Amino acid sequence: MQANLLHGNSETMLNVHTEQEKSVYLRGFTGGKYENGTWKPLPDAAYGGENIGMLDWLQTQGFDPFTQPAAYYRLTGDAPEANTVEISVQNASRDAVYAPASMEKVTDGDVHERRDALFKGRGLFGTRNYMVTEVSGTQPSELMVAESWVSSPQTEEQTAYAEAESVYRSFVYDAYTAADEDLLPVLNRLFWQDYDDENDGVYSAPSRIREVLKAQVRYSETAEATPDNADPIAYFLTDSRKGNAVLYASATVQALRAHGIPARYAEGYYLPIAKTQSSADGTAALTGQDAHAWAEVYFDGIGWLPVDATPGYYFDAVALQQMVSLPDTVRKTAAIDEDRSGAEQVVEPSGTGGSEQSKPLTVVKNVAAVGFGIVGTVILLFTLLLCAMELTRAFLLWHAERRRRRMSIEERVRQSQKLMFKLISLWGIDAALGWEASATDKALADTLPSVKPGEYERVNGLLEKTIYGGIALEPFEERALDLFVQRRWGRNVKKSWKMRLKLRYACLLAAK
Protein backbone atom coordinates (compact mmCIF):
# COMPACT_ATOMS: atom_id res chain seq x y z
CA MET A 1 0.00 0.00 0.00
CA GLN A 2 1.78 3.11 -1.25
CA ALA A 3 -0.06 5.73 0.76
CA ASN A 4 2.83 8.18 0.46
CA LEU A 5 2.15 8.51 -3.29
CA LEU A 6 -1.41 9.81 -2.89
CA HIS A 7 -0.61 13.49 -3.41
CA GLY A 8 2.59 12.99 -5.35
CA ASN A 9 2.33 15.96 -7.69
CA SER A 10 0.41 19.12 -8.49
CA GLU A 11 -0.14 18.57 -12.22
CA THR A 12 -3.62 18.79 -13.67
CA MET A 13 -4.93 15.21 -13.78
CA LEU A 14 -8.53 15.74 -14.91
CA ASN A 15 -10.61 18.58 -16.29
CA VAL A 16 -14.18 18.09 -15.10
CA HIS A 17 -17.29 19.97 -16.20
CA THR A 18 -20.47 19.50 -14.21
CA GLU A 19 -23.91 21.07 -14.56
CA GLN A 20 -24.67 21.06 -10.82
CA GLU A 21 -23.02 22.56 -7.76
CA LYS A 22 -22.19 19.63 -5.49
CA SER A 23 -19.27 17.54 -4.34
CA VAL A 24 -18.56 14.48 -6.48
CA TYR A 25 -16.44 11.39 -5.82
CA LEU A 26 -14.93 10.19 -9.11
CA ARG A 27 -14.08 6.55 -8.59
CA GLY A 28 -11.28 5.07 -10.69
CA PHE A 29 -10.43 1.92 -8.71
CA THR A 30 -12.17 -0.31 -6.20
CA GLY A 31 -10.46 -2.89 -4.03
CA GLY A 32 -12.43 -5.86 -2.79
CA LYS A 33 -9.63 -8.02 -1.37
CA TYR A 34 -6.95 -6.93 1.07
CA GLU A 35 -3.81 -9.03 0.81
CA ASN A 36 -0.25 -8.41 2.01
CA GLY A 37 -1.02 -4.77 2.74
CA THR A 38 -2.49 -4.10 -0.71
CA TRP A 39 -6.01 -3.69 -2.05
CA LYS A 40 -6.85 -5.70 -5.16
CA PRO A 41 -10.01 -6.43 -7.14
CA LEU A 42 -12.03 -9.43 -6.03
CA PRO A 43 -10.38 -12.63 -7.29
CA ASP A 44 -11.96 -14.68 -10.05
CA ALA A 45 -13.00 -17.28 -7.50
CA ALA A 46 -15.51 -14.84 -5.98
CA TYR A 47 -17.48 -14.96 -9.23
CA GLY A 48 -17.29 -18.73 -9.57
CA GLY A 49 -19.20 -21.55 -7.93
CA GLU A 50 -22.76 -20.50 -7.15
CA ASN A 51 -22.09 -17.06 -8.63
CA ILE A 52 -21.15 -18.20 -12.14
CA GLY A 53 -23.24 -16.22 -14.63
CA MET A 54 -24.75 -14.07 -11.88
CA LEU A 55 -23.66 -10.76 -13.40
CA ASP A 56 -24.82 -11.80 -16.87
CA TRP A 57 -28.21 -12.75 -15.44
CA LEU A 58 -28.50 -9.39 -13.69
CA GLN A 59 -27.87 -7.65 -17.03
CA THR A 60 -30.73 -9.61 -18.64
CA GLN A 61 -32.97 -8.32 -15.83
CA GLY A 62 -31.95 -4.74 -16.57
CA PHE A 63 -29.99 -4.51 -13.30
CA ASP A 64 -26.46 -3.11 -13.32
CA PRO A 65 -24.45 -2.66 -10.08
CA PHE A 66 -22.69 0.33 -11.66
CA THR A 67 -25.94 2.23 -12.18
CA GLN A 68 -27.94 0.81 -9.27
CA PRO A 69 -28.25 3.99 -7.13
CA ALA A 70 -29.46 5.98 -10.16
CA ALA A 71 -31.97 3.24 -11.03
CA TYR A 72 -33.21 3.26 -7.43
CA TYR A 73 -33.76 7.01 -7.59
CA ARG A 74 -35.69 6.69 -10.86
CA LEU A 75 -37.99 3.98 -9.49
CA THR A 76 -38.64 5.95 -6.31
CA GLY A 77 -40.46 8.58 -8.36
CA ASP A 78 -38.84 11.60 -6.73
CA ALA A 79 -35.44 11.49 -8.39
CA PRO A 80 -33.16 14.54 -8.45
CA GLU A 81 -32.57 16.13 -11.81
CA ALA A 82 -29.95 14.29 -13.87
CA ASN A 83 -26.49 15.84 -13.98
CA THR A 84 -24.03 15.54 -16.87
CA VAL A 85 -20.35 15.27 -15.97
CA GLU A 86 -17.79 15.69 -18.75
CA ILE A 87 -14.29 14.41 -18.02
CA SER A 88 -11.10 15.10 -19.97
CA VAL A 89 -8.08 13.12 -18.83
CA GLN A 90 -4.85 15.11 -18.78
CA ASN A 91 -2.19 13.31 -16.74
CA ALA A 92 -4.28 10.70 -14.93
CA SER A 93 -4.46 7.11 -16.12
CA ARG A 94 -6.46 6.68 -19.32
CA ASP A 95 -7.03 3.01 -18.57
CA ALA A 96 -9.29 3.86 -15.65
CA VAL A 97 -12.64 5.57 -16.18
CA TYR A 98 -13.38 8.04 -13.38
CA ALA A 99 -17.11 8.01 -12.71
CA PRO A 100 -19.35 8.71 -9.69
CA ALA A 101 -21.10 5.88 -7.86
CA SER A 102 -24.36 7.62 -8.79
CA MET A 103 -23.74 7.27 -12.53
CA GLU A 104 -26.67 6.43 -14.78
CA LYS A 105 -24.87 5.88 -18.07
CA VAL A 106 -21.82 6.79 -20.09
CA THR A 107 -23.21 8.85 -22.95
CA ASP A 108 -19.93 9.48 -24.75
CA GLY A 109 -16.73 7.46 -24.50
CA ASP A 110 -15.43 4.00 -25.42
CA VAL A 111 -15.50 2.13 -22.11
CA HIS A 112 -16.33 -1.31 -20.77
CA GLU A 113 -17.30 -2.71 -17.38
CA ARG A 114 -15.03 -4.90 -15.33
CA ARG A 115 -17.44 -7.08 -13.43
CA ASP A 116 -19.07 -5.02 -10.65
CA ALA A 117 -15.96 -3.14 -9.60
CA LEU A 118 -14.72 -0.58 -12.14
CA PHE A 119 -14.86 0.81 -15.65
CA LYS A 120 -11.93 0.53 -18.04
CA GLY A 121 -11.15 2.51 -21.16
CA ARG A 122 -10.90 0.56 -24.39
CA GLY A 123 -8.09 0.77 -26.87
CA LEU A 124 -4.33 0.77 -26.64
CA PHE A 125 -4.13 4.12 -24.90
CA GLY A 126 -7.38 3.92 -22.96
CA THR A 127 -9.98 6.68 -23.10
CA ARG A 128 -9.24 10.38 -22.78
CA ASN A 129 -12.65 12.07 -23.03
CA TYR A 130 -16.00 10.75 -21.84
CA MET A 131 -19.33 12.01 -20.59
CA VAL A 132 -21.28 10.52 -17.69
CA THR A 133 -24.87 11.15 -16.65
CA GLU A 134 -25.45 10.78 -12.91
CA VAL A 135 -28.40 11.13 -10.54
CA SER A 136 -27.79 12.14 -6.92
CA GLY A 137 -28.64 14.75 -4.34
CA THR A 138 -26.38 16.71 -2.03
CA GLN A 139 -27.01 14.87 1.23
CA PRO A 140 -24.34 12.48 2.59
CA SER A 141 -24.77 8.78 1.89
CA GLU A 142 -25.49 7.94 5.52
CA LEU A 143 -28.82 9.78 5.27
CA MET A 144 -30.01 7.49 2.47
CA VAL A 145 -32.74 5.12 3.65
CA ALA A 146 -34.36 2.69 1.23
CA GLU A 147 -38.01 3.44 0.48
CA SER A 148 -40.67 0.91 1.45
CA TRP A 149 -41.25 -0.15 -2.17
CA VAL A 150 -37.94 -2.06 -2.14
CA SER A 151 -39.48 -4.64 0.19
CA SER A 152 -43.05 -4.16 -1.11
CA PRO A 153 -42.77 -3.22 -4.80
CA GLN A 154 -45.83 -1.64 -6.42
CA THR A 155 -44.98 -1.80 -10.14
CA GLU A 156 -43.49 -4.36 -12.51
CA GLU A 157 -40.30 -2.30 -12.80
CA GLN A 158 -39.96 -2.11 -9.02
CA THR A 159 -40.60 -5.85 -8.71
CA ALA A 160 -37.91 -6.69 -11.28
CA TYR A 161 -35.46 -4.36 -9.54
CA ALA A 162 -36.20 -5.78 -6.08
CA GLU A 163 -35.76 -9.39 -7.24
CA ALA A 164 -32.46 -8.66 -8.99
CA GLU A 165 -31.22 -6.53 -6.08
CA SER A 166 -31.82 -9.36 -3.62
CA VAL A 167 -29.63 -11.67 -5.73
CA TYR A 168 -26.83 -9.12 -5.98
CA ARG A 169 -27.15 -8.23 -2.30
CA SER A 170 -26.59 -11.89 -1.36
CA PHE A 171 -23.40 -11.87 -3.42
CA VAL A 172 -22.27 -8.59 -1.84
CA TYR A 173 -22.64 -9.93 1.70
CA ASP A 174 -20.68 -13.04 0.77
CA ALA A 175 -17.88 -11.24 -1.06
CA TYR A 176 -17.43 -7.88 0.68
CA THR A 177 -17.79 -8.58 4.41
CA ALA A 178 -14.61 -10.56 5.12
CA ALA A 179 -12.21 -8.52 7.24
CA ASP A 180 -8.54 -9.45 7.38
CA GLU A 181 -8.20 -12.14 10.04
CA ASP A 182 -4.93 -10.75 11.39
CA LEU A 183 -6.56 -7.35 11.85
CA LEU A 184 -9.73 -8.57 13.57
CA PRO A 185 -8.41 -8.42 17.16
CA VAL A 186 -7.27 -4.80 16.71
CA LEU A 187 -10.46 -3.79 14.89
CA ASN A 188 -12.81 -5.30 17.44
CA ARG A 189 -10.86 -3.85 20.38
CA LEU A 190 -10.66 -0.30 19.00
CA PHE A 191 -13.98 0.09 17.22
CA TRP A 192 -16.56 -2.34 18.57
CA GLN A 193 -15.60 -3.47 22.08
CA ASP A 194 -17.56 -0.74 23.90
CA TYR A 195 -19.91 0.12 21.04
CA ASP A 196 -23.57 0.70 21.90
CA ASP A 197 -25.41 -1.12 19.12
CA GLU A 198 -28.92 -0.19 20.23
CA ASN A 199 -29.37 2.06 17.19
CA ASP A 200 -26.94 0.20 14.99
CA GLY A 201 -26.85 0.67 11.22
CA VAL A 202 -25.06 2.25 8.31
CA TYR A 203 -25.55 5.67 9.90
CA SER A 204 -24.28 4.96 13.41
CA ALA A 205 -21.46 2.59 12.42
CA PRO A 206 -19.57 5.15 10.27
CA SER A 207 -20.08 7.74 13.00
CA ARG A 208 -18.52 5.34 15.49
CA ILE A 209 -15.56 4.70 13.19
CA ARG A 210 -14.99 8.44 12.76
CA GLU A 211 -15.09 9.00 16.51
CA VAL A 212 -12.52 6.27 17.14
CA LEU A 213 -10.22 7.48 14.37
CA LYS A 214 -10.47 11.04 15.66
CA ALA A 215 -9.39 9.89 19.12
CA GLN A 216 -6.88 7.27 17.99
CA VAL A 217 -4.97 8.78 15.03
CA ARG A 218 -4.30 12.07 13.31
CA TYR A 219 -4.20 13.12 9.66
CA SER A 220 -0.82 13.48 8.00
CA GLU A 221 -0.31 14.33 4.34
CA THR A 222 2.66 11.99 4.13
CA ALA A 223 2.16 8.54 5.55
CA GLU A 224 4.97 7.01 7.57
CA ALA A 225 6.68 4.04 5.94
CA THR A 226 5.51 0.71 7.34
CA PRO A 227 8.28 -1.50 8.76
CA ASP A 228 8.97 -4.84 7.12
CA ASN A 229 6.59 -7.65 8.14
CA ALA A 230 4.12 -5.13 9.58
CA ASP A 231 0.61 -4.55 8.25
CA PRO A 232 0.04 -0.92 7.11
CA ILE A 233 -3.43 -0.67 8.69
CA ALA A 234 -2.38 -2.18 12.03
CA TYR A 235 0.72 0.01 12.11
CA PHE A 236 -1.39 3.09 11.35
CA LEU A 237 -3.90 2.33 14.12
CA THR A 238 -1.54 1.28 16.89
CA ASP A 239 2.01 2.52 16.23
CA SER A 240 2.50 5.48 13.90
CA ARG A 241 -1.06 6.70 14.62
CA LYS A 242 -0.95 9.09 11.70
CA GLY A 243 -1.79 8.70 8.04
CA ASN A 244 -3.58 10.10 5.01
CA ALA A 245 -6.78 9.22 3.14
CA VAL A 246 -5.46 5.87 1.90
CA LEU A 247 -5.02 4.61 5.45
CA TYR A 248 -8.19 6.23 6.78
CA ALA A 249 -10.22 4.61 3.98
CA SER A 250 -8.53 1.22 4.41
CA ALA A 251 -9.12 1.20 8.15
CA THR A 252 -12.75 2.23 7.62
CA VAL A 253 -13.40 -0.61 5.17
CA GLN A 254 -11.85 -3.20 7.48
CA ALA A 255 -13.71 -1.85 10.52
CA LEU A 256 -17.05 -1.93 8.71
CA ARG A 257 -16.42 -5.48 7.51
CA ALA A 258 -15.49 -6.57 11.01
CA HIS A 259 -18.94 -5.33 12.02
CA GLY A 260 -20.68 -7.26 9.23
CA ILE A 261 -21.32 -4.27 6.93
CA PRO A 262 -20.28 -4.81 3.29
CA ALA A 263 -17.65 -2.30 2.24
CA ARG A 264 -14.86 -1.89 -0.28
CA TYR A 265 -11.93 0.43 -0.84
CA ALA A 266 -12.20 3.16 -3.50
CA GLU A 267 -9.63 5.47 -5.07
CA GLY A 268 -9.94 8.32 -7.53
CA TYR A 269 -10.45 12.07 -7.38
CA TYR A 270 -12.63 14.26 -5.21
CA LEU A 271 -14.35 17.29 -6.75
CA PRO A 272 -15.33 19.62 -3.90
CA ILE A 273 -18.36 21.86 -4.27
CA ALA A 274 -16.17 24.93 -3.78
CA LYS A 275 -14.42 24.30 -7.10
CA THR A 276 -17.65 24.21 -9.10
CA GLN A 277 -19.08 27.21 -7.26
CA SER A 278 -16.02 29.31 -8.06
CA SER A 279 -15.96 28.26 -11.72
CA ALA A 280 -17.40 30.55 -14.36
CA ASP A 281 -18.84 27.70 -16.43
CA GLY A 282 -18.83 24.66 -14.13
CA THR A 283 -15.40 23.43 -15.24
CA ALA A 284 -12.78 22.54 -12.65
CA ALA A 285 -9.20 21.32 -12.94
CA LEU A 286 -8.40 18.46 -10.55
CA THR A 287 -4.71 18.10 -9.76
CA GLY A 288 -2.74 15.41 -7.99
CA GLN A 289 -3.65 17.21 -4.78
CA ASP A 290 -7.30 16.23 -5.40
CA ALA A 291 -6.48 12.50 -5.50
CA HIS A 292 -8.40 10.79 -2.73
CA ALA A 293 -9.39 7.47 -1.20
CA TRP A 294 -12.62 6.56 0.58
CA ALA A 295 -14.82 3.65 1.54
CA GLU A 296 -17.82 2.47 -0.43
CA VAL A 297 -20.63 0.92 1.60
CA TYR A 298 -23.46 -1.19 0.22
CA PHE A 299 -26.78 0.28 1.31
CA ASP A 300 -29.42 -2.44 1.14
CA GLY A 301 -31.85 -1.76 -1.66
CA ILE A 302 -29.88 1.25 -2.94
CA GLY A 303 -26.36 0.15 -3.88
CA TRP A 304 -22.76 1.24 -3.41
CA LEU A 305 -22.33 4.77 -2.04
CA PRO A 306 -19.25 6.66 -0.81
CA VAL A 307 -18.65 6.98 2.93
CA ASP A 308 -15.66 9.08 3.98
CA ALA A 309 -13.78 9.03 7.28
CA THR A 310 -10.84 11.27 6.36
CA PRO A 311 -10.84 14.50 8.40
CA GLY A 312 -12.13 17.43 6.39
CA TYR A 313 -14.18 15.28 4.01
CA TYR A 314 -17.30 14.53 6.08
CA PHE A 315 -19.94 16.17 8.26
CA ASP A 316 -19.86 15.62 12.01
CA ALA A 317 -22.77 13.97 13.84
CA VAL A 318 -24.45 17.27 14.74
CA ALA A 319 -24.37 18.53 11.14
CA LEU A 320 -25.75 15.22 9.88
CA GLN A 321 -28.67 15.40 12.29
CA GLN A 322 -29.45 18.94 11.13
CA MET A 323 -29.34 17.89 7.48
CA VAL A 324 -32.01 15.23 7.95
CA SER A 325 -34.76 17.85 7.89
CA LEU A 326 -33.25 20.00 5.13
CA PRO A 327 -34.47 19.72 1.51
CA ASP A 328 -32.09 17.88 -0.80
CA THR A 329 -31.80 20.55 -3.47
CA VAL A 330 -29.05 21.07 -6.02
CA ARG A 331 -28.12 24.33 -7.72
CA LYS A 332 -27.03 24.42 -11.34
CA THR A 333 -23.62 25.75 -12.33
CA ALA A 334 -23.26 28.91 -14.38
CA ALA A 335 -22.79 27.05 -17.66
CA ILE A 336 -23.13 29.00 -20.90
CA ASP A 337 -26.25 28.05 -22.84
CA GLU A 338 -25.13 27.92 -26.45
CA ASP A 339 -27.69 28.12 -29.25
CA ARG A 340 -26.91 25.16 -31.44
CA SER A 341 -30.03 25.39 -33.61
CA GLY A 342 -28.58 27.76 -36.22
CA ALA A 343 -27.55 25.19 -38.83
CA GLU A 344 -28.16 26.38 -42.34
CA GLN A 345 -30.70 24.52 -44.45
CA VAL A 346 -29.23 22.67 -47.42
CA VAL A 347 -31.22 23.32 -50.62
CA GLU A 348 -30.68 21.41 -53.83
CA PRO A 349 -30.41 23.87 -56.78
CA SER A 350 -32.59 23.31 -59.81
CA GLY A 351 -30.60 22.25 -62.94
CA THR A 352 -30.53 24.34 -66.12
CA GLY A 353 -28.99 23.73 -69.57
CA GLY A 354 -27.96 20.47 -71.35
CA SER A 355 -30.11 17.92 -73.05
CA GLU A 356 -32.09 15.23 -71.24
CA GLN A 357 -30.15 12.51 -73.09
CA SER A 358 -26.75 13.67 -71.80
CA LYS A 359 -27.77 13.68 -68.14
CA PRO A 360 -27.36 9.91 -67.41
CA LEU A 361 -23.85 9.82 -68.93
CA THR A 362 -22.89 12.97 -67.07
CA VAL A 363 -24.14 11.49 -63.81
CA VAL A 364 -22.12 8.28 -64.37
CA LYS A 365 -18.97 10.27 -65.09
CA ASN A 366 -19.51 12.46 -62.05
CA VAL A 367 -20.11 9.48 -59.79
CA ALA A 368 -17.01 7.69 -61.14
CA ALA A 369 -14.89 10.80 -60.65
CA VAL A 370 -16.16 11.24 -57.11
CA GLY A 371 -15.58 7.55 -56.35
CA PHE A 372 -11.99 7.57 -57.64
CA GLY A 373 -11.41 10.82 -55.79
CA ILE A 374 -12.63 9.35 -52.51
CA VAL A 375 -10.53 6.19 -52.93
CA GLY A 376 -7.45 8.22 -53.79
CA THR A 377 -8.01 10.53 -50.84
CA VAL A 378 -8.45 7.61 -48.46
CA ILE A 379 -5.23 5.95 -49.70
CA LEU A 380 -3.34 9.23 -49.41
CA LEU A 381 -4.66 9.92 -45.91
CA PHE A 382 -3.87 6.37 -44.80
CA THR A 383 -0.31 6.67 -46.15
CA LEU A 384 0.17 10.02 -44.42
CA LEU A 385 -1.26 8.64 -41.19
CA LEU A 386 1.05 5.62 -41.30
CA CYS A 387 4.06 7.82 -41.97
CA ALA A 388 3.06 10.16 -39.14
CA MET A 389 2.65 7.22 -36.75
CA GLU A 390 6.05 5.79 -37.66
CA LEU A 391 7.77 9.16 -37.36
CA THR A 392 6.04 9.77 -34.03
CA ARG A 393 7.02 6.31 -32.86
CA ALA A 394 10.66 6.84 -33.78
CA PHE A 395 10.80 10.27 -32.16
CA LEU A 396 9.05 9.20 -28.93
CA LEU A 397 11.25 6.15 -28.55
CA TRP A 398 14.35 8.29 -29.06
CA HIS A 399 13.07 10.86 -26.57
CA ALA A 400 12.06 8.16 -24.09
CA GLU A 401 15.51 6.59 -24.24
CA ARG A 402 17.16 9.93 -23.51
CA ARG A 403 14.78 10.54 -20.60
CA ARG A 404 15.25 7.00 -19.32
CA ARG A 405 18.98 7.58 -18.95
CA ARG A 406 18.22 10.40 -16.49
CA MET A 407 15.73 8.36 -14.44
CA SER A 408 16.43 6.72 -11.13
CA ILE A 409 16.35 2.92 -10.97
CA GLU A 410 12.94 3.00 -9.26
CA GLU A 411 11.50 5.23 -12.00
CA ARG A 412 12.83 2.93 -14.70
CA VAL A 413 11.34 -0.09 -12.94
CA ARG A 414 7.93 1.56 -12.66
CA GLN A 415 8.04 2.47 -16.35
CA SER A 416 8.88 -1.14 -17.25
CA GLN A 417 6.06 -2.38 -14.99
CA LYS A 418 3.51 -0.17 -16.76
CA LEU A 419 4.55 -1.34 -20.23
CA MET A 420 4.76 -5.00 -19.22
CA PHE A 421 1.23 -5.21 -17.83
CA LYS A 422 -0.15 -3.29 -20.81
CA LEU A 423 1.46 -5.82 -23.18
CA ILE A 424 0.11 -8.71 -21.13
CA SER A 425 -3.40 -7.23 -21.20
CA LEU A 426 -3.29 -7.08 -25.01
CA TRP A 427 -3.32 -10.88 -25.02
CA GLY A 428 -6.44 -10.97 -22.83
CA ILE A 429 -4.58 -12.06 -19.69
CA ASP A 430 -5.54 -10.40 -16.41
CA ALA A 431 -2.44 -9.58 -14.42
CA ALA A 432 -1.43 -7.31 -11.56
CA LEU A 433 1.72 -6.98 -9.50
CA GLY A 434 1.83 -9.77 -6.92
CA TRP A 435 -1.59 -11.11 -7.89
CA GLU A 436 -1.77 -14.82 -8.80
CA ALA A 437 1.74 -14.77 -10.26
CA SER A 438 1.93 -18.52 -10.87
CA ALA A 439 -1.40 -18.59 -12.74
CA THR A 440 -0.35 -15.60 -14.86
CA ASP A 441 3.00 -17.24 -15.54
CA LYS A 442 1.28 -20.37 -16.84
CA ALA A 443 -1.19 -18.38 -18.95
CA LEU A 444 1.67 -16.45 -20.58
CA ALA A 445 3.73 -19.56 -21.24
CA ASP A 446 0.70 -21.31 -22.77
CA THR A 447 -0.17 -18.32 -24.97
CA LEU A 448 3.25 -17.06 -26.07
CA PRO A 449 6.06 -19.41 -27.17
CA SER A 450 8.60 -16.63 -26.53
CA VAL A 451 7.82 -16.67 -22.79
CA LYS A 452 9.30 -19.58 -20.91
CA PRO A 453 7.69 -21.06 -17.76
CA GLY A 454 8.92 -19.30 -14.64
CA GLU A 455 10.05 -16.13 -16.43
CA TYR A 456 7.07 -14.02 -15.42
CA GLU A 457 7.27 -15.13 -11.78
CA ARG A 458 10.92 -14.12 -11.64
CA VAL A 459 10.23 -10.71 -13.21
CA ASN A 460 7.24 -10.22 -10.91
CA GLY A 461 9.53 -10.82 -7.95
CA LEU A 462 12.01 -8.24 -9.24
CA LEU A 463 9.25 -5.65 -9.59
CA GLU A 464 7.98 -6.34 -6.07
CA LYS A 465 11.52 -6.05 -4.74
CA THR A 466 11.75 -2.42 -5.89
CA ILE A 467 8.15 -1.21 -5.87
CA TYR A 468 7.03 -2.81 -2.60
CA GLY A 469 10.35 -3.37 -0.90
CA GLY A 470 12.11 -0.18 -1.98
CA ILE A 471 15.26 -2.17 -2.83
CA ALA A 472 17.17 -1.07 -5.92
CA LEU A 473 17.76 -3.77 -8.52
CA GLU A 474 21.26 -4.93 -9.32
CA PRO A 475 22.39 -4.17 -12.92
CA PHE A 476 21.97 -7.80 -13.98
CA GLU A 477 18.46 -7.87 -12.46
CA GLU A 478 17.45 -4.74 -14.33
CA ARG A 479 18.79 -6.24 -17.55
CA ALA A 480 16.67 -9.35 -16.97
CA LEU A 481 13.60 -7.15 -16.47
CA ASP A 482 14.33 -5.13 -19.63
CA LEU A 483 14.90 -8.27 -21.71
CA PHE A 484 11.53 -9.66 -20.61
CA VAL A 485 9.62 -6.45 -21.33
CA GLN A 486 11.32 -5.71 -24.67
CA ARG A 487 11.14 -9.22 -26.15
CA ARG A 488 9.17 -9.97 -29.33
CA TRP A 489 5.86 -10.69 -27.65
CA GLY A 490 4.09 -11.94 -30.76
CA ARG A 491 6.85 -14.09 -32.24
CA ASN A 492 5.68 -17.43 -33.70
CA VAL A 493 2.04 -16.60 -32.89
CA LYS A 494 -0.65 -16.06 -35.48
CA LYS A 495 -1.93 -12.50 -35.08
CA SER A 496 -4.58 -10.30 -36.65
CA TRP A 497 -3.56 -7.00 -38.22
CA LYS A 498 -5.15 -5.19 -35.28
CA MET A 499 -2.99 -7.12 -32.84
CA ARG A 500 0.10 -6.43 -34.93
CA LEU A 501 -0.61 -2.69 -34.73
CA LYS A 502 -1.24 -2.82 -31.00
CA LEU A 503 2.00 -4.66 -30.32
CA ARG A 504 4.02 -2.34 -32.53
CA TYR A 505 2.74 0.83 -30.93
CA ALA A 506 2.41 -0.42 -27.36
CA CYS A 507 6.01 0.65 -26.87
CA LEU A 508 4.85 4.25 -27.10
CA LEU A 509 3.50 3.83 -23.57
CA ALA A 510 7.10 3.95 -22.41
CA ALA A 511 7.34 7.44 -23.85
CA LYS A 512 4.37 8.80 -21.90
Side-chain angles (χ1 to χ4, degrees):
M1 184 184 299
Q2 301 175 21
N4 59 314
L5 301 179
L6 181 63
H7 292 160
N9 61 67
S10 57
E11 293 181 317
T12 296
M13 310 304 284
L14 303 173
N15 282 326
V16 182
H17 177 272
T18 175
E19 296 177 339
Q20 296 178 355
E21 292 183 356
K22 60 185 177 185
S23 300
V24 180
Y25 288 86
L26 296 170
R27 174 184 62 200
F29 168 80
T30 55
K33 183 175 178 61
Y34 183 76
E35 188 175 47
N36 298 325
T38 303
W39 285 105
K40 303 174 182 178
L42 283 182
D44 293 341
Y47 301 91
E50 295 180 354
N51 297 316
I52 290 179
M54 181 258 309
L55 293 176
D56 291 335
W57 178 83
L58 290 175
Q59 292 287 348
T60 65
Q61 304 302 304
F63 182 95
D64 188 346
F66 284 103
T67 62
Q68 183 185 349
Y72 164 83
Y73 262 127
R74 294 295 191 195
L75 291 171
T76 298
D78 189 23
E81 185 177 350
N83 177 36
T84 298
V85 182
E86 299 177 51
I87 298 170
S88 176
V89 181
Q90 303 302 308
N91 291 294
S93 170
R94 295 185 188 177
D95 288 335
V97 174
Y98 300 95
S102 54
M103 68 167 291
E104 186 171 38
K105 59 183 176 181
V106 178
T107 57
D108 184 22
D110 191 9
V111 304
H112 67 99
E113 297 180 5
R114 171 135 183 160
R115 299 205 169 109
D116 66 327
L118 66 154
F119 271 103
K120 302 283 285 183
R122 294 187 187 274
L124 180 62
F125 298 108
T127 302
R128 179 168 185 174
N129 300 297
Y130 40 94
M131 188 181 300
V132 177
T133 302
E134 64 93 22
V135 180
S136 65
T138 59
Q139 292 187 338
S141 301
E142 298 98 300
L143 301 184
M144 291 283 289
V145 179
E147 298 286 340
S148 59
W149 68 259
V150 174
S151 55
S152 301
Q154 303 298 313
T155 66
E156 291 184 5
E157 291 80 6
Q158 290 179 348
T159 300
Y161 174 94
E163 291 176 352
E165 192 274 335
S166 66
V167 172
Y168 181 63
R169 187 196 315 168
S170 177
F171 166 77
V172 165
Y173 274 83
D174 286 340
Y176 292 101
T177 54
D180 186 275
E181 292 185 0
D182 294 333
L183 290 172
L184 275 175
V186 173
L187 297 171
N188 288 327
R189 175 175 59 83
L190 290 178
F191 294 98
W192 309 118
Q193 184 172 336
D194 300 320
Y195 174 59
D196 182 5
D197 59 1
E198 182 177 352
N199 297 311
D200 193 20
V202 290
Y203 167 73
S204 57
S207 295
R208 167 68 175 183
I209 291 171
R210 290 165 180 157
E211 291 173 1
V212 172
L213 290 175
K214 185 176 181 180
Q216 188 73 13
V217 297
R218 64 182 177 85
Y219 181 84
S220 175
E221 185 73 18
T222 304
E224 186 175 322
T226 305
D228 293 340
N229 302 320
D231 180 86
I233 297 176
Y235 186 72
F236 164 61
L237 292 173
T238 59
D239 291 286
S240 72
R241 301 182 69 173
K242 61 180 181 180
N244 59 15
V246 171
L247 290 164
Y248 272 85
S250 299
T252 300
V253 172
Q254 292 289 355
L256 288 167
R257 289 185 172 190
H259 197 54
I261 296 176
R264 62 189 186 186
Y265 173 86
E267 258 184 19
Y269 293 89
Y270 176 72
L271 173 61
I273 189 173
K275 283 204 172 189
T276 54
Q277 288 176 333
S278 61
S279 171
D281 63 350
T283 301
L286 299 185
T287 71
Q289 300 302 307
D290 296 302
H292 193 46
W294 61 93
E296 282 192 342
V297 176
Y298 189 80
F299 288 72
D300 294 356
I302 301 173
W304 292 105
L305 296 175
V307 171
D308 212 329
T310 303
Y313 288 86
Y314 64 86
F315 296 95
D316 59 27
V318 174
L320 285 172
Q321 291 173 0
Q322 293 175 341
M323 293 178 72
V324 172
S325 59
L326 295 177
D328 190 10
T329 56
V330 184
R331 290 183 56 189
K332 290 188 175 182
T333 56
I336 299 175
D337 185 15
E338 297 181 354
D339 182 6
R340 300 178 181 174
S341 60
E344 295 182 358
Q345 183 179 5
V346 179
V347 181
E348 182 179 357
S350 58
T352 58
S355 67
E356 293 294 324
Q357 293 178 348
S358 65
K359 287 184 179 179
L361 182 59
T362 302
V363 170
V364 171
K365 290 181 178 179
N366 290 340
V367 170
V370 171
F372 283 120
I374 291 175
V375 172
T377 302
V378 169
I379 293 175
L380 177 61
L381 290 175
F382 179 80
T383 303
L384 291 174
L385 176 62
L386 190 60
C387 291
M389 291 173 65
E390 284 299 306
L391 288 172
T392 302
R393 179 178 184 271
F395 172 78
L396 290 179
L397 289 177
W398 170 78
H399 180 71
E401 185 58 30
R402 289 190 60 192
R403 190 178 62 167
R404 186 176 175 86
R405 292 179 188 145
R406 299 192 297 268
M407 289 181 176
S408 65
I409 292 179
E410 182 179 357
E411 289 173 330
R412 292 198 300 269
V413 169
R414 289 186 180 278
Q415 186 184 57
S416 297
Q417 175 203 15
K418 180 179 180 182
L419 178 57
M420 184 183 80
F421 285 118
K422 189 65 182 181
L423 287 165
I424 292 174
S425 70
L426 292 179
W427 292 99
I429 299 173
D430 288 336
L433 185 60
W435 176 68
E436 297 186 357
S438 59
T440 304
D441 186 281
K442 185 178 185 304
L444 279 172
D446 292 343
T447 305
L448 303 173
S450 61
V451 179
K452 298 177 182 179
E455 272 193 285
Y456 171 79
E457 285 192 272
R458 179 168 182 254
V459 169
N460 192 77
L462 294 176
L463 290 171
E464 289 185 314
K465 179 179 178 181
T466 294
I467 293 175
Y468 291 159
I471 303 173
L473 296 182
E474 297 293 336
F476 72 91
E477 292 177 322
E478 189 176 5
R479 285 196 298 271
L481 173 61
D482 290 341
L483 285 173
F484 181 84
V485 174
Q486 297 169 10
R487 69 177 58 243
R488 293 178 61 190
W489 283 77
R491 186 177 60 188
N492 300 328
V493 179
K494 187 176 181 181
K495 304 177 290 296
S496 66
W497 65 271
K498 289 184 178 180
M499 178 58 79
R500 292 176 186 274
L501 284 175
K502 289 180 180 180
L503 289 172
R504 180 162 182 79
Y505 294 105
C507 58
L508 298 185
L509 289 172
K512 292 175 64 179

